[in-house]
Amino acid sequence: MKIFNTLNKTKEEFKPIEKNKIKMYVCGPTVYNYFHLGNARPFLFFDVVRNYFKYKGFDVTYIQNITDIDDKIIAKANDENVDYKDITQKYIKAFFEDLKQLNIQKATLNPKATDYLPEMIALIQDLVNKGYAYESQGDVYFAVDKKKDYGKLSGKNLDDLQAGARIEANTQKHNPFDFTLWKKAKAGEPFWESPWGNGRPGWHTECVVMSKKHLGQSFDIHGGGIDLIFPHHENELAQAEAIDDKPLANFWLHNGFLNIEGDKMSKSLNNFFTARDVLKKYNADTIRFFFLSKHYRSPIDYNQEILEESRIAINRFYEVFKKLPVYKENIINDHLSTDLTEIKNNFLAAMDDDFNTAKAIAYLFELSKICFNQNTEESHNIQAANLLYELGSVLGFFSKLKDELDNKIDDKAEKLITLLIEIRSLAKKQKNFEIADKIRNDLTQLNIELRDTIEGTNWSLKK
Ligand code: AMP
Ligand code: ZN
């Protein structure tokens, strides 16, 4: 399997550090707003990365942090005249709700920065002790000059940076590119006590601490959008390697931007649509198709027409499942016919080539064509539909269908539920409420809900 590694700017053969295990860290949201469709791109792409490794039999630990202390959060709390925690709690809840609506599975763990203050302070102290960091008027900075290979992830070097930049007048810093590890609190701001006075940690330090804490000294994959390469990931890498001279991550993966009329969709440009708003018009599979039909490193333009085309494409897959049954357990796929085996292998080869989801989707279309082929045996078409479901699920499609399959109730079970409902109404007539209640409660345990109406009792499956 080959993956493009931003660190070496080339596609490299991927080998996990530990056999059959993947340890992956992806920078998560800063929680002061609903996330927009651009933010959804990395969330969705790394969901696919995790699914694909799992499908290949790896045991995946996926850590995605939540930045719950930050200048923007404080500014928003001040604007609304509330505690910063009111802001973060609200948007953490919204973050998980929106992920769910997008059919993005949760990470193994979502650590929150404010839960790791002692570890962050210890790391900064360690950097000070080792001579990589210095305190200045209550702030602590990382001295970029001390890290000889500073810039290796982004391909920038300090001389070029200094030549190209407008140098800010900050007399506290030894070098204008020194970055903040600890920020002194202004009056009224939230703070934590530290050896350098009251303040809060810098964003780059937060991710180093949370990733190492949960994944160990070095891990396999570190991910995020390309805007994170510099300075965020460069500064994470610099700190981590200054501490123990071991790579923080072996592979650095970055997704391209979602643009809108040529600009990056972003909160600061105010040119964004929140994911929850887009979800009112397009379902999760359509949005997923919109992103995955392009390579993850290519830029994508937000475009209604392409979203409409995505909707049509997804509906075509759903036509297959309306026509042909699929089974949750893909029993028959153990003995795939040669043509289907070839398609499956092509799909895997596309995904093994730096997660080429665009190409992988083309094989899903080949499968759907086979499903509609009237000149082949129905059993073959059903096998194709099962494979379409299996491979589509790897890309995160069809999860609604999965719910339906999970909750499928066969004819016999349906008759048994009807029988229990009849026994329950007999029990009620005879004033045996103990039995009546037992039937209702036990069915509820099985996610079967009873509703008494004047016409009689109905049942439904709890969602
Ligand atoms: P933020 O909350 O701004 O830190 O962003 C969260 C994630 O979304 C990061 O991985 C960013 O790189 C990514 N991101 C932000 N804007 C875009 C965009 N327009 N297109 C793709 N990814 C983005
Ligand atoms: Zn990060």
Side-chain angles (χ1 to χ4, degrees):
M1 177 177 197
K2 289 205 156 141
I3 304 182
F4 186 90
N5 189 353
T6 306
L7 186 62
N8 301 318
K9 284 142 209 79
T10 131
K11 272 191 216 172
E12 290 173 9
E13 193 59 40
F14 177 78
K15 254 189 96 175
I17 295 171
E18 254 182 89
K19 202 165 169 253
N20 296 331
K21 287 204 170 139
I22 302 289
K23 293 183 177 172
M24 172 163 108
Y25 183 91
V26 177
C27 296
T30 305
V31 279
Y32 67 101
N33 213 330
Y34 298 113
F35 68 79
H36 60 64
L37 201 64
N39 298 134
R41 192 173 185 189
F43 303 159
L44 199 144
F45 170 63
F46 288 101
D47 179 58
V48 172
V49 170
R50 180 247 323 263
N51 284 357
Y52 186 58
F53 278 122
K54 276 192 159 174
Y55 182 69
K56 295 201 16 151
F58 289 94
D59 174 12
V60 185
T61 309
Y62 173 15
I63 307 294
Q64 183 187 39
N65 73 297
I66 291 177
T67 301
D68 64 343
I69 183 69
D70 168 271
D71 292 355
K72 291 182 223 110
I73 295 172
I74 297 172
K76 177 109 174 180
N78 288 343
D79 278 354
E80 297 191 7
N81 208 11
V82 292
D83 189 86
Y84 85 97
K85 284 194 184 137
D86 294 337
I87 300 292
T88 55
Q89 272 163 11
K90 174 175 172 186
Y91 291 108
I92 288 172
K93 188 164 165 276
F95 169 67
F96 288 118
E97 284 166 2
D98 293 351
L99 285 191
K100 189 152 187 269
Q101 291 307 312
L102 285 165
N103 292 334
I104 294 174
Q105 305 294 313
K106 269 191 176 180
T108 316
L109 192 77
N110 292 100
K112 295 203 301 283
T114 55
D115 289 334
Y116 297 83
L117 259 293
E119 290 94 332
M120 290 171 193
I121 291 169
L123 183 131
I124 298 168
Q125 186 66 65
D126 202 8
L127 288 171
V128 173
N129 295 346
K130 290 192 161 93
Y132 281 101
Y134 58 92
E135 188 264 347
S136 174
Q137 299 170 36
D139 290 336
V140 182
Y141 295 102
F142 185 93
V144 287
D145 292 317
K146 292 276 158 63
K147 183 85 173 66
K148 291 294 164 251
D149 55 4
Y150 183 79
K152 70 176 177 185
L153 179 68
S154 55
K156 298 179 192 293
N157 69 53
L158 282 170
D159 293 339
D160 294 346
L161 279 171
Q162 271 154 357
R166 261 188 299 129
I167 307 287
E168 50 180 313
N170 182 336
T171 48
Q172 277 175 250
K173 291 185 185 180
H174 299 172
N175 179 315
F177 288 94
D178 288 353
F179 57 89
T180 311
L181 301 172
W182 185 260
K183 187 168 176 150
K184 181 182 171 171
K186 296 197 193 89
E189 286 183 343
F191 66 83
W192 287 263
E193 288 173 9
S194 83
W196 318 283
N198 295 341
R200 60 182 181 273
W203 177 34
H204 318 312
T205 303
E206 295 172 3
C207 281
V208 176
V209 165
M210 288 183 276
S211 59
K212 276 177 172 283
K213 170 103 182 186
H214 295 292
L215 298 174
Q217 193 174 42
S218 297
F219 48 93
D220 298 297
I221 291 178
H222 196 321
I226 38 168
D227 52 338
L228 298 191
I229 299 174
F230 188 87
H232 183 50
H233 287 169
E234 191 73 66
N235 292 350
E236 278 188 36
L237 185 154
Q239 286 175 74
E241 292 192 1
I243 294 283
D244 55 24
D245 206 21
K246 295 267 166 23
L248 179 63
N250 281 353
F251 277 76
W252 294 78
L253 273 67
H254 295 98
N255 63 272
F257 284 142
L258 172 69
N259 292 325
I260 182 157
E261 288 166 3
D263 289 319
K264 171 194 171 192
M265 183 179 279
S266 74
K267 287 170 195 161
S268 54
L269 291 175
N270 204 22
N271 61 354
F272 63 90
F273 298 107
T274 62
R276 56 174 59 197
D277 276 346
V278 180
L279 276 160
K280 285 180 193 149
K281 206 156 166 220
Y282 299 99
N283 71 22
D285 276 346
T286 299
I287 295 173
R288 195 172 274 266
F289 188 95
F290 170 76
F291 281 121
L292 298 185
S293 52
K294 276 261 189 168
H295 191 269
Y296 76 92
R297 284 189 286 118
S298 309
I300 299 186
D301 276 317
Y302 179 84
N303 178 321
Q304 297 271 356
E305 262 167 49
I306 301 180
L307 272 160
E308 286 300 335
E309 282 167 24
S310 305
R311 193 210 303 264
I312 293 166
I314 281 294
N315 283 344
R316 183 161 170 82
F317 293 141
Y318 274 98
E319 288 301 316
V320 170
F321 302 127
K322 268 189 217 150
K323 180 170 169 267
L324 298 169
V326 291
Y327 307 96
K328 198 171 150 246
E329 311 298 342
N330 283 293
I331 318 153
I332 52 169
N333 280 350
D334 288 347
H335 308 288
L336 279 182
S337 60
T338 349
D339 60 335
L340 296 182
T341 305
E342 196 184 319
I343 295 181
K344 180 173 173 173
N345 288 341
N346 287 339
F347 176 95
L348 297 177
M351 290 298 282
D352 281 346
D353 181 14
D354 194 25
F355 304 103
N356 193 337
T357 54
K359 207 163 168 194
I361 283 177
Y363 295 113
L364 299 187
F365 279 119
E366 272 193 32
L367 283 174
S368 70
K369 250 188 246 152
I370 295 177
C371 296
F372 288 119
N373 188 344
Q374 299 196 339
N375 302 321
T376 42
E377 295 216 355
E378 200 187 20
S379 63
H380 182 255
N381 298 11
I382 291 177
Q383 205 177 45
N386 271 288
L387 187 60
L388 172 63
Y389 173 70
E390 177 181 318
L391 300 180
S393 302
V394 173
L395 298 183
F397 292 122
F398 316 142
S399 55
K400 284 269 152 48
L401 195 68
K402 183 173 178 303
D403 287 349
E404 277 171 31
L405 292 172
D406 281 343
N407 285 325
K408 211 168 191 171
I409 287 202
D410 65 15
D411 280 355
K412 273 211 184 86
E414 222 166 288
K415 286 187 182 131
L416 285 171
I417 297 170
T418 313
L419 179 64
L420 281 167
I421 290 174
E422 281 166 16
I423 296 174
R424 177 172 169 264
S425 57
L426 269 179
K428 280 200 331 191
K429 265 191 202 137
Q430 297 174 357
K431 305 224 177 308
N432 190 338
F433 296 111
E434 200 181 327
I435 290 199
D437 288 346
K438 180 170 169 54
I439 291 175
R440 173 197 280 280
N441 294 340
D442 288 7
L443 284 177
T444 309
Q445 292 281 312
L446 295 171
N447 279 343
I448 300 163
E449 270 183 333
L450 301 189
R451 229 171 324 109
D452 294 319
T453 69
I454 27 175
E455 280 102 32
T457 305
N458 300 329
W459 65 269
S460 60
L461 288 175
K462 220 169 29 183
K463 283 280 167 221

